[in-house]
Amino acid sequence: MSEQIAEAVRLSPSELRTLFLFESLEDDQLAWLSENGYCQTWSGGQSVYNEGEPATCFFILLSGTLSMHRRVENTEVETARTNQRGVYAGATQSFVKGLAEQPYWASVRAVTDCDFWVIAAMEFGEKFREWFPMAVHLLEGMTVGFRSSQAIIGQRERLLSLGRLSAGLTHELNNPAAAAVRATASLRERVSKMRGKLAHLATADVDPKALVALTDLQEAAVEKMAKAEKLTPMEVGEAEDQLSDWLDDHGLDDAWDLAPTLVAAGVDTDWLDEVAESVPATLLADALHWVTYALETEQLMLEIEDSTHRISALVGAAKQYSQMDRAAHQDIDVRDGLNSTLVMFKHKINESGKITLVKDYDESLPMIPAHPAELNQVWTNLIDNAIHAMPDGGTLTIRTSQDDGWVLVEICDTGIGIPEEMQQKIFEPFFTTKPVGEGTGLGLDISYRVITQRHGGDLRVRSHPGDTRFQVRLPLTEPPSFG
Ligand SMILES: Nc1ncnc2c1ncn2[C@@H]1O[C@H](COP(=O)(O)OP(=O)(O)O)[C@@H](O)[C@H]1O
Ligand SMILES: [Mg+2]
């Protein structure tokens, strides 16, 4: 760090008194500082200290211009630039027990040649505690207390929304999983019956040619099923009646059992006539049962396939929601995040039975730079609030559009609305109208910070009874202080 130490150049107590930090110190205090601090020069372009290095020194700018930088992801962002004599930087919290060992939280560079007054953080911190015990207590209470309460509360809001979402997801997963388990059990039963039938046919001294004809019949029926048109309940009833009659006429006594499966597969009496012609009359019943089992197993397998596809789609949505496999900051399509958040709320929306979901998406929306996991937290809160505002049902509209250089996302509900005088308050931390345990009052505070500070965007509300819109504007290009 030290480039050109101006051989232990000290500042006299009276020079130190001209720095605003020290203007009201006692003579003996200034004398101590004068002995322990020294002057040091950095030439323009040099780095004074770097973010992340152990914070060993406290610096006061005497002359020149400095700039301050913070690393955000992989780029460096300039957060301040000043030539004000007396500004301080470096190990500014060395007096707080427990924070003394912390690294520098930013980097400082000399923009022009700079003179600093420098002092070792450890000794300075110790003296500071000795001189100002009460101030230190108060500051410690504030910094440490504020940090931990912010962290605890932020975590609680995240946990609450995670809880709401995992409840929805669990419910969504449960249906297809239970369906797959049921279908598998039925499949096992059918397959075992089919084995029985095969054994029966094999011992019944059937012409091998007829066996071939039977397997061909099965293939044809399965193919027919894949192409079968969907019938209305009325058409299904009629078709089942017709098939039952035909089966009765041909001596099958469990017509009621076979007819529904055959109808679902698109089988009609013409097809049954063909079957009757291609197999000996003695084998007709066995042949039709054989075909029916094949159709049933096929249907069950389709059901299992469908359920397992739904399960993987849900897991995919959950993964996309939590952004488990993505970088923290990237170009995204906001509709993806909105969709995966909606999957998590599907259960809640369906459960109410009275909320209609309308997605009004601009098809030509451009990609924007964003922190997708954080945006998902915003969508979660806005959608959760909107659903909560419509206990008697209504319409939830998610709209995306482009608005003069911004991507605009609107979450609209037709609920109770927010009185004019409350519209500013709702963004304050801890403001909630929900019962204890249900709301934290932090959702909108966090959302606002995520949108404005992290994305350089804007979050506004417009509300009348029956028409409330939360409008999120996100810039199309990266703001200079993205992070
Ligand atoms: N869509 C909405 N309709 C009516 N009131 C709302 C809506 N969104 C938010 N609010 C009001 O704003 C308050 C604060 O919301 P928020 O910060 O998310 O905290 P919480 O949801 O935990 O109460 C809510 O308690 C509610 O009174
Ligand atoms: Mg909320």
Side-chain angles (χ1 to χ4, degrees), residues 157 381 385-386 389 413 416-418 422 426 431-434 438-445 468 470:
E157 169 71 22
N381 182 53
N385 285 349
D413 67 74
I416 42 183
I418 306 163
M422 228 168 77
I426 57 172
F431 179 85
T432 179
T433 54
K434 293 172 190 168
E438 254 184 61
T440 57
L442 277 178
L444 286 174
D445 170 55
T468 298
F470 279 85

Side-chain angles (χ1 to χ4, degrees), residues 202-248:
T203 52
D205 197 18
V206 178
D207 178 1
K209 273 198 201 132
L211 268 183
V212 173
L214 278 178
T215 22
D216 287 350
L217 212 58
Q218 264 192 344
E219 281 305 316
V222 168
E223 239 171 71
K224 204 169 167 56
M225 185 173 87
K227 292 185 203 130
E229 276 174 34
K230 198 126 183 67
L231 302 179
T232 65
M234 188 108 118
E235 290 168 330
V236 169
E238 273 170 31
E240 283 181 11
D241 283 347
Q242 274 181 9
L243 287 203
S244 293
D245 289 347
W246 188 98
L247 295 167
D248 276 339

Side-chain angles (χ1 to χ4, degrees), residues 184-196:
T184 310
S186 311
L187 187 63
R188 175 170 293 127
E189 192 200 351
R190 292 299 185 288
V191 170
S192 119
K193 279 192 185 171
M194 222 150 102
R195 278 200 301 264

Side-chain angles (χ1 to χ4, degrees), residues 243-359:
L243 287 203
S244 293
D245 289 347
W246 188 98
L247 295 167
D248 276 339
D249 291 347
H250 290 75
L252 277 93
D253 46 15
D254 52 358
W256 54 271
D257 203 12
L258 301 184
T261 309
L262 294 172
V263 167
V267 165
D268 53 21
T269 51
D270 289 347
W271 198 77
L272 290 178
D273 285 335
E274 273 176 49
V275 175
E277 273 163 34
S278 64
V279 296
T282 49
L283 276 183
L284 184 61
D286 280 334
L288 288 175
H289 279 116
W290 177 251
V291 167
T292 312
Y293 289 148
L295 291 174
E296 280 174 347
T297 50
E298 188 66 20
Q299 264 165 6
L300 290 166
M301 285 189 291
L302 286 177
E303 237 171 78
I304 293 171
E305 197 173 42
D306 184 56
S307 310
T308 42
H309 274 154
R310 265 166 66 202
I311 292 173
S312 23
L314 279 166
V315 171
K319 203 161 113 186
Q320 134 86 23
Y321 177 84
S322 63
Q323 298 292 330
M324 284 191 292
D325 56 353
R326 299 242 221 139
H329 151 218
Q330 60 202 238
D331 281 344
I332 58 141
D333 182 337
V334 290
R335 292 169 297 185
D336 292 340
L338 288 166
N339 283 337
S340 61
T341 306
L342 283 170
V343 169
M344 306 294 147
F345 277 106
K346 202 172 140 207
H347 157 61
K348 209 164 177 185
I349 294 174
N350 289 347
E351 186 188 49
S352 88
K354 288 173 286 188
I355 293 179
T356 313
L357 172 66
V358 176
K359 286 196 223 175

Side-chain angles (χ1 to χ4, degrees), residues 43-65:
S43 14
Q46 276 187 326
S47 138
V48 180
Y49 62 78
N50 289 310
E51 181 177 349
E53 289 172 358
T56 49
C57 290
F58 181 88
F59 301 81
I60 296 181
L61 181 66
L62 300 173
S63 68
T65 300

